[in-house]
Amino acid sequence: MNQQVTKICRDFIPELNEAIGSQSPETIFILTDDNTQRLCLPGVLQSEKLAGSHVINIPSGDEHKTIDSAVRIWQYLSDHKATRKSLMINVGGGMITDIGGFAASTFKRGIRYINVSTSLLGAVDAATGGKTGINFAGLKNEIGVFSPASDVLINIDFFRTLDDSNLRSGYAEMVKHALIDTRKEWDEILKFDLENINFDELRELVDRSIRIKERVVEQDPFEANIRKALNLGHTFGHAFESHSYKVNRPVLHGYAVMWGLLCELYLSHAKLNFPKDDLLKLKYMIKNYYGSFYIDCNDYDGLLELMTHDKKNESAEINFTLLSDIGEIHINQTATKEEIFECFDFFSGC
Ligand code: GLY
């Protein structure tokens, strides 16, 4: 799989023009959602290369990352005579880059697409690495293909439209990248001031964070082994996220990942002797910036059930990525029900 290199733009429009120009497309289709159509599309349309392009808009929110929305995109492409030489430009967060990448990669067996990531979460995670997909039968990203974008462009200025919660949601994936990389990255990420965001500093950290992901994806694009490092925090995290929807207390993905990281570092400490000091540093940071999510022992079986159905599992056992230290990755780890419940106890007592 050819990997694109994600660009953190200094001068967005010329860099977008260059990315479009290098594809020499016959027609261009821009995919937005209700939010990015209002907040980001005007900035993108400054590009003279987009005169005469078509805009496809779908409702925002992960609940719309569905086969119905994909059909709507394919229908629009078909009605407007898209060809194999057409180009899609996905302008949005992870929901738009996932579904846009999927629709593009399957239309006429695949047309090229560019991701313009407008959320911090999307920029440091979904936009890069070639995973595309939609939710199906109540499961996240159940249907999809590995198919990298031709280009991924990040314009930090779009992040200025994000509220604190969405910035914190994205920051969680950056914390995950630091944990699987080096102590230097871990120390740097912990220093970042989430109360007073410095966008120049954020730009630098986003760049480093994306390079960590790219290095992992380059080694294992189809997630046969080391790419599973990127699942750190996500086994518990996805269960918290799905549970939050079930109990009508929805949380942002990154918040669930942050709480998942806490549980999985606790499990790492219990099973692999991950340093307690680092676990406590994470706990302290989460307490200050993310708060907690109320669960009690009546929720444990339901959460365990959600973890059992996670598509990251390769057999009947729940699959974890754990750490024995910062950057010391152990994939394909398992845990007993008792060990998992102990993590819930630790989490609910936080
Ligand atoms: N979101 C994790 C990955 O791209 O593998």
Side-chain angles (χ1 to χ4, degrees):
M1 185 166 76
N2 291 330
Q3 289 303 319
Q4 81 293 327
V5 174
T6 299
K7 261 197 183 163
I8 321 289
C9 300
R10 289 231 171 251
D11 205 356
F12 175 61
I13 292 300
E15 289 173 81
L16 176 61
N17 286 343
E18 194 187 322
I20 297 170
S22 68
Q23 303 297 332
S24 311
E26 241 169 45
T27 39
I28 301 178
F29 295 83
I30 306 173
L31 180 68
T32 57
D33 65 23
D34 292 338
N35 291 330
T36 61
Q37 181 172 56
R38 190 167 46 87
L39 296 170
C40 306
L41 184 63
V44 172
L45 288 177
Q46 303 286 318
S47 161
E48 63 275 12
K49 299 256 182 208
L50 293 176
S53 59
H54 302 269
V55 177
I56 312 173
N57 189 60
I58 60 174
S60 33
D62 203 63
E63 67 276 21
H64 295 290
K65 205 172 87 177
T66 58
I67 190 71
D68 289 340
S69 301
V71 168
R72 199 161 142 182
I73 299 168
W74 289 321
Q75 192 66 59
Y76 190 99
L77 293 172
S78 188
D79 291 347
H80 293 79
K81 313 230 172 324
T83 70
R84 274 255 177 96
K85 291 190 175 157
S86 296
L87 174 72
M88 281 256 298
I89 304 182
N90 302 318
V91 179
M95 178 272 192
I96 282 293
T97 57
D98 278 359
I99 193 169
F102 174 67
S105 305
T106 45
F107 186 77
K108 291 188 189 289
R109 296 206 178 91
I111 63 174
R112 292 152 307 168
Y113 72 96
I114 293 175
N115 285 337
V116 174
S117 187
T118 59
S119 76
L120 178 60
L121 177 70
V124 294
D125 190 20
T128 300
K131 281 186 181 175
T132 72
I134 53 171
N135 304 331
F136 184 70
L139 297 169
K140 281 172 71 72
N141 304 322
E142 185 67 353
I143 308 286
V145 289
F146 285 97
S147 169
S150 315
D151 288 273
V152 179
L153 302 180
I154 314 287
N155 178 8
I156 299 286
D157 284 339
F158 286 142
F159 301 166
R160 294 178 196 272
T161 65
L162 300 174
D163 60 21
D164 278 351
S165 316
N166 277 289
L167 286 167
R168 285 174 195 196
S169 182
Y171 177 78
E173 296 285 355
M174 296 166 69
V175 168
K176 176 195 79 179
H177 288 159
L179 282 166
I180 61 165
D181 198 60
T182 55
R183 192 158 281 284
K184 180 172 179 287
E185 291 298 327
W186 171 233
D187 290 342
E188 287 290 322
I189 203 80
L190 286 177
K191 274 194 234 147
F192 186 66
D193 184 359
L194 279 169
E195 305 263 22
N196 304 293
I197 304 276
N198 174 329
F199 282 88
D200 289 331
E201 215 180 299
L202 182 64
R203 183 178 196 287
E204 170 66 23
L205 286 176
V206 165
D207 196 350
R208 284 165 42 178
S209 196
I210 290 171
R211 300 310 152 217
I212 295 171
K213 175 163 183 178
E214 283 179 342
R215 284 197 291 276
V216 173
V217 172
E218 198 184 336
Q219 291 172 65
D220 176 24
F222 299 110
E223 202 174 287
N225 45 69
I226 195 60
R227 186 165 180 169
K228 292 180 190 172
L230 298 172
N231 295 335
L232 181 68
H234 284 66
T235 306
F236 277 91
H238 279 157
F240 286 138
E241 191 175 3
S242 303
H243 180 74
S244 81
Y245 281 93
K246 273 193 172 169
V247 296
N248 265 326
R249 286 184 282 133
V251 298
L252 294 174
H253 176 73
Y255 279 64
V257 167
M258 206 53 133
W259 298 323
L261 285 172
L262 188 58
C263 290
E264 291 179 25
L265 289 194
Y266 179 82
L267 191 59
S268 296
H269 172 65
K271 290 177 76 76
L272 301 173
N273 217 14
F274 178 82
K276 192 167 181 190
D277 271 8
D278 294 307
L279 173 65
L280 295 180
K281 278 183 196 163
L282 185 74
K283 182 177 160 179
Y284 181 72
M285 195 254 279
I286 291 177
K287 201 176 154 110
N288 278 345
Y289 295 120
Y290 292 80
S292 193
F293 181 70
Y294 180 78
I295 55 165
D296 64 31
C297 45
N298 296 317
D299 299 315
Y300 290 10
D301 283 321
L303 286 163
L304 185 70
E305 178 72 8
L306 287 166
M307 288 163 78
T308 309
H309 290 296
D310 195 303
K311 71 174 168 316
K312 296 190 291 300
N313 303 332
E314 285 170 8
S315 61
E317 295 199 281
I318 301 171
N319 190 298
F320 294 97
T321 293
L322 300 178
L323 302 179
S324 55
D325 203 341
I326 307 294
E328 297 295 325
I329 300 156
H330 299 254
I331 60 169
N332 297 332
Q333 300 294 298
T334 56
T336 62
K337 178 176 167 176
E338 289 69 33
E339 286 168 331
I340 292 171
F341 279 20
E342 201 182 309
C343 298
F344 290 146
D345 285 343
F346 169 74
F347 180 73
S348 58
C350 280

